[in-house]
Amino acid sequence: MIAGITGFFAISYIIIVNPMILKDAGIPTDLSVFATIISSFIGCLIMGFWANAPVILTPGMGVNAFFTYTVVVAMGLSWQEALAISIVSSIIYVLIAFTKLSEILAKGIPETLKAGITAGIGLFLVEIGLEKAQLIKQGTNSILALGDLTKPATLLALFGLLLTLFLFVRNITGGFFIGILVTSVVGILFGIKDQVSPSVGIGDIGRYSSIVAKGNFSNALTIPFILAVFSMTMILVFESMGLLEGIMPNPKKFKKAFQASSVTSFLSGILGTSPTVAAAESASAIESGGRTGLTSIVAGIMFAISLFFIPLLAFVPQAAIAPVIIITGALMMNQLSRINMFDFSDWFPAFLIVVLIPFTSSISTGLAFGFVVYPILKIAAGRQKELTVATYVLGFLFLCDLVLSALL
């Protein structure tokens, strides 16, 4: 039970951060906060009762960036279409999780590409966080430039970043949550707030139904829709697979935990939010002694209780959220340590994934180049025996993705 409470406070920032990111996709903050909490509550219960694993499920950092900044902002689709893409991707995810395909992919996809995906998404989150902190901006003579360090909001974000880093390296329980809270209080004291602050209260739950089951499938047979489904499916499957393999204390529970994650991901699209994944912060619960599903069930109950405290969101500025996004992205980049830097044919495809995701603001583009180049380099090096059928198939599919994206 202590582990469940610990894990909740470690990931509780998602209640604030996820709606703020989805706001850029057009989903109202005062409604997506309910979707975030309810999907997390249901996901944790499914994980606890079905998989009996100490893993917390919440809308994932990274896939919410793909949902917002790639599908909606870059591709120009509506948030309703993005929800439809999320639902279809999750159905495929469920099919993979409940069949032998999960084992084939787990063994067939090279670790270097899995690590590259997580690290690339992490660097993308760092870029988003720096923009929200106004520490970087679009440059006049360069792609990016340093922001105005005299702005109150930027100084507040820097304060929040230093505070949150201090709490994190000291292993303070709930350090991210405390960092957001203290930074928000400082912002209130100095009158620093966003131009448009969300007004959220439990009374708004009556309007929550306006984003439930709103997936728009009218363009489901179009090329952009199909390409987005393919890319989101790859993100969901490999990010979840990598996280679960990395944090699960009992490997025997991987299969059911993977299944629980897939089912919750499907439900999240119906509930009106980006897909849920296993939270990396589950590691804090496991380190606190969590070994069974009771940990995730307690965390789910804590999410339900948090419904009564969401009015506090109105006092949280972007500058308080940015540090958490930056640090989360940096933590995801530690996957670089799993890449064999002494083998060019191994690390260069992963390198392409890592740099192209933030440079193009498109997770799907980064994935495509990495998966296409990997088999090409292995064949060029005369090491095609290292390739699996899954590597060939995904390389071909991502090549089709790039060709079709260029032609459309």
Side-chain angles (χ1 to χ4, degrees):
M1 292 178 69
I2 292 173
I5 295 172
T6 301
F8 166 77
F9 278 107
I11 191 60
S12 57
Y13 67 87
I14 200 70
I15 297 173
I16 303 171
V17 177
N18 192 56
M20 292 294 191
I21 289 179
L22 296 183
K23 179 182 70 172
D24 293 340
I27 302 180
T29 305
D30 56 344
L31 302 181
S32 63
V33 66
F34 293 114
T36 301
I37 292 173
I38 294 171
S39 62
S40 301
F41 167 68
I42 294 174
C44 288
L45 293 188
I46 292 175
M47 180 62 74
F49 287 112
W50 173 254
N52 191 26
V55 176
I56 299 171
L57 295 177
T58 64
M61 293 291 288
V63 71
N64 58 3
F66 176 80
F67 181 101
T68 298
Y69 301 108
T70 298
V71 176
V72 177
V73 176
M75 298 179 69
L77 302 179
S78 66
W79 63 264
Q80 291 90 344
E81 289 174 303
L83 286 177
I85 289 165
S86 174
I87 292 170
V88 175
S89 300
S90 298
I91 291 173
I92 300 172
Y93 180 15
V94 169
L95 292 174
I96 292 172
F98 282 86
T99 62
K100 289 186 177 181
L101 279 173
S102 60
E103 298 167 15
I104 293 172
L105 289 175
K107 297 176 182 177
I109 304 302
E111 290 298 317
T112 185
L113 294 183
K114 292 179 187 175
I117 292 170
T118 304
I121 293 173
L123 187 56
F124 188 30
L125 286 176
V126 170
E127 181 185 21
I128 292 169
L130 290 172
E131 288 177 354
K132 287 186 177 295
Q134 298 181 46
L135 283 168
I136 60 173
K137 61 182 180 180
Q138 186 173 358
T140 52
N141 299 316
S142 60
I143 298 173
L144 293 173
L146 182 66
D148 186 353
L149 297 182
T150 63
K151 284 188 175 181
T154 307
L155 292 173
L156 179 64
L158 280 172
F159 164 78
L161 181 59
L162 291 173
L163 171 65
T164 309
L165 284 170
F166 175 82
L167 295 171
F168 179 76
V169 297
R170 293 298 294 265
N171 294 316
I172 304 297
T173 300
F176 283 177
F177 183 81
I178 295 171
I180 291 174
L181 181 63
V182 174
T183 306
S184 298
V185 170
V186 172
I188 293 169
L189 293 175
F190 286 91
I192 305 170
K193 60 181 181 179
D194 297 333
Q195 291 181 343
V196 180
S197 298
S199 178
V200 190
I202 189 67
D204 294 316
I205 200 166
R207 297 189 297 111
Y208 167 54
S209 60
S210 63
I211 65 169
V212 175
K214 295 299 180 183
N216 180 359
F217 296 88
S218 60
N219 294 317
L221 298 180
T222 62
I223 297 299
F225 190 99
I226 295 171
L227 293 179
V229 166
F230 175 65
S231 297
M232 184 176 283
T233 302
M234 294 300 99
I235 295 168
L236 287 175
V237 171
F238 295 124
E239 186 175 343
S240 298
M241 194 174 283
L243 284 168
L244 288 172
E245 286 179 346
I247 66 175
M248 286 286 286
N250 185 353
K252 293 180 180 179
K253 294 182 179 180
F254 169 81
K255 181 75 172 178
K256 283 201 169 184
F258 195 56
Q259 293 171 348
S261 176
S262 69
V263 171
T264 309
S265 178
F266 167 71
L267 294 175
S268 64
I270 297 173
L271 291 169
T273 183
S274 55
T276 54
V277 298
E281 288 79 5
S282 300
S284 64
I286 293 168
E287 289 171 5
S288 300
R291 291 295 179 270
T292 69
L294 179 61
T295 298
S296 53
I297 291 169
V298 170
I301 293 171
M302 292 294 291
F303 272 109
I305 294 172
S306 70
L307 277 170
F308 300 96
F309 296 93
I310 54 176
L312 297 175
L313 287 179
F315 300 99
V316 180
Q318 296 268 30
I321 302 298
V324 172
I325 298 177
I326 294 168
I327 298 172
T328 300
L331 290 172
M332 292 174 72
M333 289 190 68
N334 67 16
Q335 291 294 307
L336 291 171
S337 62
R338 295 170 54 194
I339 299 172
N340 181 10
M341 294 293 185
F342 298 98
D343 184 343
F344 186 82
S345 65
D346 256 9
W347 72 258
F348 186 73
F351 163 78
L352 287 178
I353 293 175
V354 173
V355 298
L356 286 176
I357 287 177
F359 286 175
T360 64
S361 297
S362 171
I363 295 173
S364 57
T365 300
L367 292 181
F369 274 94
F371 273 85
V372 169
V373 170
Y374 184 83
I376 292 175
L377 286 184
K378 289 298 181 183
I379 292 171
R383 294 161 56 184
Q384 52 266 39
K385 290 183 179 179
E386 297 179 20
L387 299 172
T388 63
V389 174
T391 313
Y392 280 117
V393 171
L394 289 174
F396 174 74
L397 290 175
F398 272 116
L399 178 61
C400 294
D401 182 2
L402 284 174
V403 172
L404 290 172
S405 297
L407 294 176
L408 292 174

